[in-house]
Amino acid sequence: MKFFLYSLLLISFHLPAQKAGDQKFIQEVVKIHTSREGLPDGSIDRISILNGVPVAETSAQILQFKSGSWTGITRGKSEPAPELPAIPGAKILSVVPYKGGLAIGCTQGLYFYSDVKKLERVFPQNEKYSWLLRNVNALTTDSRGRLWFGATEGVGYLDGDTWKLFTGKEGLPYNKFTSAAAGPDGMVWFGTEKGAIEVENDYFKYRFSRRWLPGDHVNGIAVGTDGTAWIATDKGVSQISRVSMSLEDKAKVFTKQVEERHNRMGFVAHSHLKEQFNPASSELAISDNDGMYTSMYGAANAFRYAATGDPEAKALADRSFKACKWLVDISHEKGFPARVIIPVDWPEKVNETHSRADNLENQKRDPMWKDIYPRFPKSKDGKYYWKCDTSSDELAGHFFFYGVYYDLVAKTEEEKQAVREVVGDIMDHLIRHGYKLVDHDGKVTRWGDFSPEYFSSVYGYDQRGLNSMNMLSFLNVAKHVTGNPKYDQEARILRNKYQYHIYAMHPKEFFPPENVVPWDNNICLMGMYGLINYETDPALLLMYRQSLETAWQHISKQKNAFWDAIYASLANRFTKLADQKYFENKGLFPENRLYAPKVVSKLYKGNHNPDFILENLQKIPLDLIGYTMDNTHRLDVIIDSSPMQSEHVGWRTDGYALPIDERGHVRQDRDGFALLASEGDGHDEHEGTFYLLPYYMAHYHGLLGK
């Protein structure tokens, strides 16, 4: 039976390549124009496009953009303003030609002024709304002849005799308008006092913060025939271009980005920007979890190699494996993985930064903080420092990568044996120390306790679901990679004596909020991948499938391509097993004969939307700089009012997290529901792994369509 299931695993690991990665989509790309490109400092009051050339205006000068820079030009003769009627008690705010006359927006509403000088007040209404408009600051007609307005009540357009109206409930993010402009194919842009809004096919995209604009107060917008939006703000001009590219094109961009700016001796992590917002000023940095992030990059290239056969992918996966194995080989004791390795001449004085005094200071806010020194011991050869106090994050990354690398990349016996050795070393360290990561001080690390005693303590009860599941996952990976039956025996002890498999059915915390951290989602799903893929017992598979669904309930609404890809691949595998009658006639759970058929029936198919993976991958910005973004003011957001929850957590009115290009992080190990977030405030660039891993994993598992 085991041979049959392993054969099934290998078959599922070699799905035919598909062409979804080559299909074109529109990627929006931002260029910020400030004094560096020749604009004056301060506000740009107006912008237009004359004969295909962008023209920016201030109170003092007019500039045009040619050959990559802005240069001053002479102010031409302006067009005479149209003759406007007097509207008693109202201030005119916006005017646009419409049907031979004018549409006029004012403080008191919307008016049509016909070519025969007739003034008519307009009251937009449909089956849901009837509006007496106020502060109609924005008007435009689109390429399909529809009249659009932006007012205090919301946004709407008149198509023939029919009004379509939008508030926050329909996706409108903000309503303090300053301007509007039309683009090709019915596209419309609105300027607001806090950002710009792009509307395409009745869907609203919110473009604000330094990710999209130099300043949030938008004074004007002009849209070129190619759809490029030129946005004048209080701090310069933003150029948002529409570039046709494929997912594979995007992957090449991010692979290049990682290799040029995020590869430190084979380790992959974010980089620091010496000049805020400027990737050209990038310098290599270290994270707290280099092992985790290098594992993720290695796994991305393992899936890439399996899906495409690209020799570059194998070389990068091999390099990542050697780096991760080095983390294990360098430490004080066989099988203990370091977090980070840096040369001794690293510019940051790490052991001065992480001093004993610093440890004691940290313990004031976190009594469980580990007082260990040095936090960066020196390697035996004296050439490197390695960071200790390794956590469960690192282990989850290592074991996830090693299983994938062993199955998809390691071809020769020498390559496979290297994987067996490192997996065996780590697993044996954990077993030898009673399921604990034990540091150079002889004590367990802060987040490295997987022992039964810890799970029974007041300090560890909330970790037992996640850590029990992960320990069983690590043992499954070790059993699969090494073939050593002792790891099966250890897992059996943990299940039969300590109920780890029961704990694992609640694989992560959901409440209270202080116990819920987004990287636990990463740890959980990565652990699930090895746990389920390498399990052969049908009873355990049913339990683990139920555990996966429990974890998924909170994660499913975040539109995270990595988590979605893991869930979908495992759910699809369960469907295949059920189709092959793998759970039938086995006498499973005789004390409750309804359990097995109920799980198979209820969880037969995955509860996911396959389109969300593609959506997330397409929306990941090419610019992976971390910006501060505050979405708490949005009209299309519902604030989470759960007890003890932060006021900075919420979701769109459709129940899903904001799109990744509208929130304050681009990493796929963060909380998609965080409305106020900062990933370095422009001083960090994050590695392209957060696109590459979900893309190639989804590509390999056939999750991107055909």
Side-chain angles (χ1 to χ4, degrees):
M1 180 58 70
K2 288 184 178 180
F3 174 78
F4 163 76
L5 191 60
Y6 286 147
S7 298
L8 177 65
L9 285 169
L10 292 175
I11 290 171
S12 70
F13 277 163
H14 289 85
L15 297 171
Q18 35 83 13
K19 297 294 185 181
D22 296 325
Q23 295 173 6
K24 299 292 184 179
F25 66 95
I26 296 299
Q27 176 76 49
E28 292 189 325
V29 180
V30 185
K31 177 175 174 55
I32 301 297
H33 297 253
T34 61
S35 57
R36 184 172 291 178
E37 289 75 31
L39 286 174
D41 290 326
S43 180
I44 304 300
D45 301 328
R46 285 172 296 279
I47 196 157
S48 59
I49 297 176
L50 300 178
N51 300 318
V53 177
V55 176
E57 298 183 47
T58 71
S59 58
Q61 61 185 130
I62 302 177
L63 306 100
Q64 65 177 2
F65 186 69
K66 279 189 174 182
S67 303
S69 63
W70 294 87
T71 55
I73 58 175
T74 304
R75 187 182 298 273
K77 190 174 181 180
S78 12
E79 293 274 338
E83 182 182 344
L84 300 177
I87 303 176
K91 178 182 178 182
I92 293 177
L93 303 171
S94 53
V95 180
V96 68
Y98 184 65
K99 290 189 173 179
L102 298 173
I104 302 173
C106 66
T107 51
Q108 302 304 318
L110 175 63
Y111 290 81
F112 289 162
Y113 187 52
S114 70
D115 55 353
V116 294
K117 312 298 185 185
K118 180 181 178 182
L119 187 67
E120 175 190 1
R121 193 170 188 180
V122 182
F123 302 95
Q125 61 180 328
N126 60 10
E127 67 283 353
K128 193 172 182 180
Y129 300 112
S130 180
W131 287 345
L132 190 162
L133 297 178
R134 296 166 295 151
N135 300 318
V136 185
N137 281 292
L139 285 173
T140 191
T141 52
D142 69 17
S143 62
R144 298 171 185 168
R146 301 177 298 186
L147 174 69
W148 289 76
F149 70 83
T152 300
E153 290 70 23
V155 158
Y157 65 78
L158 181 60
D159 188 2
D161 296 324
T162 303
W163 286 101
K164 189 75 178 281
L165 304 175
F166 304 88
T167 69
K169 293 178 181 179
E170 290 77 38
L172 176 67
Y174 194 59
N175 65 344
K176 293 186 178 180
F177 298 99
T178 60
S179 55
D185 302 320
M187 180 194 308
V188 170
W189 282 83
F190 287 95
T192 78
E193 294 178 10
K194 189 165 185 176
I197 299 170
E198 179 184 2
V199 192
E200 190 172 15
N201 298 322
D202 294 352
Y203 182 82
F204 293 81
K205 303 175 187 177
Y206 194 27
R207 303 311 188 210
F208 82 108
S209 86
R210 186 54 175 71
R211 174 176 292 162
W212 294 102
L213 307 173
D216 275 339
H217 193 286
V218 174
N219 296 319
I221 303 177
V223 185
T225 56
D226 62 352
T228 298
W230 296 84
I231 304 173
T233 78
D234 56 336
K235 295 180 181 178
V237 170
S238 177
Q239 175 188 355
I240 302 180
S241 304
R242 296 167 62 84
V243 177
S244 177
M245 69 188 326
S246 67
L247 294 177
E248 191 61 33
D249 294 335
K250 198 168 181 177
K252 290 184 174 72
V253 171
F254 283 132
T255 299
K256 185 173 185 288
Q257 180 244 35
V258 171
E259 291 304 305
E260 289 182 351
R261 298 198 292 274
H262 297 274
N263 169 24
R264 190 193 75 253
M265 303 186 305
F267 300 111
V268 172
H270 72 282
S271 63
H272 177 70
L273 304 183
K274 290 179 285 187
E275 180 184 343
Q276 190 181 27
F277 309 130
N278 182 9
S281 70
S282 173
E283 61 182 1
L284 293 170
I286 57 176
S287 77
D288 202 38
N289 293 295
D290 280 8
M292 161 73 92
Y293 300 133
T294 304
S295 294
M296 293 173 74
Y297 187 61
N301 280 289
F303 286 121
R304 174 187 170 194
Y305 179 62
T308 68
D310 189 333
E312 181 191 53
K314 184 178 190 310
L316 295 177
D318 288 341
R319 188 190 74 197
S320 297
F321 171 74
K322 291 173 183 175
C324 289
K325 188 175 186 300
W326 186 18
L327 288 167
V328 180
D329 293 339
I330 198 173
S331 68
H332 66 288
E333 180 181 317
K334 191 174 184 180
F336 182 95
R339 286 181 179 268
V340 173
I341 298 174
I342 52 175
V344 291
D345 60 353
W346 186 254
E348 181 186 355
K349 304 303 180 185
V350 289
N351 282 323
E352 294 179 16
T353 303
H354 300 279
S355 65
R356 179 138 279 156
D358 180 68
N359 287 336
L360 297 177
E361 190 64 30
N362 283 325
Q363 285 183 343
K364 292 179 182 178
R365 60 173 177 79
D366 179 4
M368 299 299 292
W369 182 270
K370 185 167 184 182
D371 180 15
I372 187 170
Y373 188 84
R375 196 161 289 266
F376 283 79
K378 191 174 288 188
S379 62
K380 295 180 179 68
D381 62 9
K383 296 179 180 179
Y384 301 97
Y385 288 119
W386 58 272
K387 191 175 185 181
C388 65
D389 200 23
T390 304
S391 73
S392 55
D393 307 56
E394 301 293 295
L395 289 180
H398 278 271
F399 278 96
F400 173 75
F401 175 36
Y402 293 149
V404 172
Y405 179 82
Y406 184 83
D407 289 329
L408 304 184
V409 181
K411 301 298 182 184
T412 67
E413 179 58 27
E414 181 183 5
E415 290 172 334
K416 288 185 176 294
Q417 183 57 29
V419 187
R420 296 183 193 119
E421 287 177 3
V422 70
V423 168
D425 286 348
I426 300 174
M427 199 68 246
D428 290 347
H429 171 97
L430 291 164
I431 294 171
R432 185 165 65 247
H433 292 287
Y435 299 99
K436 300 175 183 178
L437 272 178
V438 174
D439 227 320
H440 65 77
D441 62 352
K443 298 177 183 179
V444 66
T445 66
R446 170 74 162 87
W447 296 110
D449 201 333
F450 300 81
S451 68
E453 299 80 17
Y454 182 63
F455 298 160
S456 299
S457 74
V458 70
Y459 308 112
Y461 77 94
D462 60 327
Q463 296 294 308
R464 65 188 179 194
L466 179 64
N467 282 14
S468 294
M469 183 275 294
N470 267 294
M471 183 51 62
L472 294 175
S473 174
F474 302 160
L475 286 164
N476 271 5
V477 173
K479 172 190 68 176
H480 171 72
V481 168
T482 69
N484 193 326
K486 73 176 181 180
Y487 300 121
D488 219 0
Q489 294 167 8
E490 289 291 332
R492 193 175 298 114
I493 292 171
L494 293 181
R495 293 194 303 268
N496 295 343
K497 187 174 180 180
Y498 299 109
Q499 304 297 304
Y500 272 40
H501 59 319
I502 303 299
Y503 294 153
M505 295 185 73
H506 181 84
K508 68 179 297 292
E509 291 295 293
F510 300 99
F511 193 85
E514 64 183 17
N515 287 352
V516 182
V517 291
W519 40 91
D520 277 0
N521 296 330
N522 241 34
I523 299 171
C524 178
L525 270 293
M526 292 171 84
M528 284 281 181
Y529 195 76
L531 180 73
I532 293 177
N533 272 328
Y534 300 131
E535 186 52 65
T536 60
D537 186 313
L540 291 174
L541 278 168
L542 289 172
M543 296 173 67
Y544 297 158
R545 177 64 183 90
Q546 191 172 353
S547 176
L548 174 67
E549 199 67 22
T550 298
W552 182 242
Q553 295 311 306
H554 182 256
I555 298 170
S556 63
K557 299 290 187 178
Q558 298 212 26
K559 289 191 175 181
N560 180 308
F562 181 40
W563 299 340
D564 285 18
I566 293 178
Y567 173 83
S569 67
L570 295 176
N572 290 348
R573 178 173 177 268
F574 183 81
T575 301
K576 291 178 183 178
L577 291 174
D579 286 342
Q580 294 164 0
K581 314 299 182 186
Y582 191 72
F583 305 103
E584 294 185 11
N585 304 316
K586 302 288 177 63
L588 304 176
F589 304 98
E591 67 279 11
N592 183 354
R593 291 174 305 211
L594 296 179
Y595 177 76
K598 182 178 179 180
V599 172
V600 172
S601 173
K602 184 178 180 181
L603 302 179
Y604 170 69
K605 285 193 174 180
N607 179 28
H608 63 282
N609 186 332
D611 294 338
F612 289 167
I613 296 176
L614 187 62
E615 175 189 326
N616 180 262
L617 292 173
Q618 290 180 350
K619 285 182 178 291
I620 291 174
L622 290 183
D623 170 4
L624 294 188
I625 295 172
Y627 299 103
T628 299
M629 298 185 76
D630 183 355
N631 280 292
T632 56
H633 65 288
R634 291 178 63 146
L635 303 175
D636 59 339
V637 159
I638 297 172
I639 303 294
D640 186 354
S641 58
S642 302
M644 296 185 283
Q645 185 59 272
S646 163
E647 64 182 4
H648 300 146
V649 174
W651 42 82
R652 281 173 61 101
T653 51
D654 62 5
Y656 289 91
L658 293 169
I660 194 166
D661 57 0
E662 297 180 22
R663 51 196 203 224
H665 52 73
V666 289
R667 301 177 72 92
Q668 300 277 25
D669 58 353
R670 295 296 189 259
D671 184 2
F673 296 139
L675 299 178
L676 174 57
S678 180
E679 204 73 58
D681 193 29
H683 293 286
D684 290 329
E685 182 189 56
H686 300 276
E687 61 272 33
T689 308
F690 296 100
Y691 172 88
L692 295 169
L693 178 52
Y695 168 56
Y696 283 118
M697 187 178 193
H699 186 352
Y700 168 72
H701 280 291
L703 302 173
L704 296 175
K706 297 180 180 179

